[in-house]
Amino acid sequence: MNHYDIIIIGAGPGGLTAGIYAGRQGTKNLIIDRDLAGGLGREVPEMENYPGFDRISGLELVEKMKAQATINCELNEMEEVTEIKQTGGEYRFTVKTDKDEYQSKTIILATGSSHRQLDAKGEEEFKGKGVSYCATCDGFFFAGRDIIMVGGGNSALQEALYLKNLGANVTLVHRRDEFRAQKHLQNMIKEAGINTILNATVEEIKGEMLVESVVLKDTQTGELKEIPTNGVFVSVGYIPHTELAKQLGVELDDSGHIIIDKNQKTNIDYVYAIGDVCIGLKQWVVACGEGAVAATSAFEDLQG
């Protein structure tokens, strides 16, 4: 069985940063991810607020971070952790995956989140047939076509701008009377001439083989209106992945996020958590900072 000082579960921005810091401390470390490194960060079309880069795509930044992390830390991609057990002794945790089994003195949970769905009628039926949760992945197919972008946060507005730049005719739909995104992004939406519909929810997605229209409901009057569209892109938040945390008895808040202290420690000794799975601001730079803190906390705790 392979033995490690720190096992990091999840190779998003936070997990990769934790690996960089952990390796530089001289500990033996492993990052495990059930997918490719980067997580949802791979889908970010363009960032203008990551320090050091005027503009950079999530995929490009992931590749830079991955290259740096693998100098300092082992990385196993496409390997899913199925169980974590507390075992006692020097190596307190046994980590089982679909490929192998490992023991570690500490655990850093960087398990991230997944896209929240609308739960609208027809959404499930038209996934991959006009309904998408990733503009970077699928936007190319909608150049010159009509698109509904659902959401009001930073991600939704960033993706709307990305789709507009691809040549799509974008309409932003948000359930509130104003966007939650940064003013900078709201101004860019106006400058780009992107149509917006506020106080509206998507009640139904309709079509034959592919998406052909959506039914919107006015949240103030209850009025229903059907409008034609070729695609529906959804960005309405995220669901934290806490299955492994629950196995360990890690404490969660009412929204299902892991509760951590200022050192990224959970209520379980030698278990830390970082990134989107935790309470706090869902930003790339925040996850990176938390990764640095968690790796340092783990190292200090290992020193006794």
Side-chain angles (χ1 to χ4, degrees):
M1 186 181 296
N2 300 309
H3 293 79
Y4 294 89
D5 295 307
I6 303 172
I7 289 183
I8 301 157
I9 302 173
L16 291 172
T17 304
I20 293 168
Y21 273 74
R24 293 173 64 83
Q25 294 165 168
T27 48
K28 184 181 180 184
N29 318 292
L30 171 65
I31 305 174
I32 308 173
D33 198 294
R34 65 182 179 182
D35 208 328
L36 296 174
L40 292 179
R42 301 176 67 87
E43 300 177 6
V44 177
E46 188 173 79
M47 283 186 289
E48 297 179 304
N49 60 354
Y50 190 85
F53 297 95
D54 290 334
R55 291 185 178 182
I56 189 168
S57 72
L59 182 58
E60 184 181 357
L61 187 53
V62 162
E63 292 305 317
K64 290 178 182 292
M65 294 179 68
K66 177 181 172 180
Q68 189 175 3
T70 50
I71 294 171
N72 298 279
C73 184
E74 294 179 44
L75 170 62
N76 291 358
E77 297 175 288
M78 308 306 291
E79 182 172 354
E80 183 168 8
V81 175
T82 56
E83 185 179 23
I84 308 174
K85 283 187 176 180
Q86 296 189 62
T87 51
E90 181 183 9
Y91 292 91
R92 303 172 183 87
F93 304 96
T94 296
V95 178
K96 294 182 179 181
T97 76
D98 56 0
K99 296 180 180 178
D100 211 334
E101 191 169 307
Y102 311 90
Q103 285 194 322
S104 182
K105 298 175 183 177
T106 63
I107 298 289
I108 297 177
L109 297 170
T111 45
S113 59
S114 58
H115 295 286
R116 188 178 298 279
Q117 296 186 13
L118 295 172
D119 293 329
K121 185 178 180 182
E123 181 178 10
E124 196 69 31
E125 177 185 352
F126 288 104
K127 277 184 182 177
K129 301 174 183 177
V131 172
S132 175
Y133 304 86
C134 177
T136 309
C137 310
D138 301 323
F140 174 80
F141 301 107
F142 291 86
R145 313 194 79 188
D146 294 329
I147 292 173
I148 296 291
M149 181 77 227
V150 188
N154 289 337
S155 295
L157 271 63
Q158 285 172 337
E159 295 204 346
L161 289 163
Y162 176 77
L163 291 165
K164 174 73 173 180
N165 288 336
L166 288 178
N169 179 29
V170 184
T171 297
L172 257 171
V173 174
H174 183 44
R175 62 193 178 95
R176 301 188 188 280
D177 59 359
E178 61 181 3
F179 295 117
R180 294 178 290 106
Q182 297 170 348
K183 282 294 181 184
H184 167 69
L185 288 170
Q186 294 188 44
N187 291 336
M188 290 181 70
I189 289 292
K190 291 177 182 177
E191 290 169 7
I194 293 175
N195 184 40
T196 61
I197 301 176
L198 299 177
N199 295 312
T201 58
V202 175
E203 293 296 298
E204 185 177 358
I205 301 168
K206 302 172 71 173
E208 292 295 329
M209 298 297 292
L210 301 172
V211 170
E212 296 176 4
S213 67
V214 295
V215 177
L216 301 181
K217 180 180 180 180
D218 189 303
T219 58
Q220 295 181 324
T221 66
E223 179 186 355
L224 297 177
K225 179 173 67 173
E226 184 171 348
I227 61 174
T229 188
N230 303 117
V232 180
F233 283 74
V234 181
S235 181
V236 292
Y238 304 93
I239 300 172
H241 294 159
T242 55
E243 297 84 0
L244 296 173
K246 290 175 182 175
Q247 282 184 13
L248 286 166
V250 169
E251 187 177 357
L252 309 179
D253 73 353
D254 292 339
S255 68
H257 291 82
I258 295 175
I259 298 172
I260 42 89
D261 67 10
K262 64 180 182 179
N263 296 310
Q264 304 303 133
K265 297 181 180 183
T266 70
N267 61 305
I268 305 297
D269 290 341
Y270 301 99
V271 177
Y272 316 83
I274 60 177
D276 285 0
V277 76
C278 300
I279 302 169
L281 185 63
K282 304 294 189 280
Q283 288 289 301
W284 194 302
V285 70
V286 173
C288 292
E290 291 176 347
V293 172
T296 303
S297 294
F299 176 73
E300 291 174 350
D301 289 345
L302 287 170
Q303 303 309 301

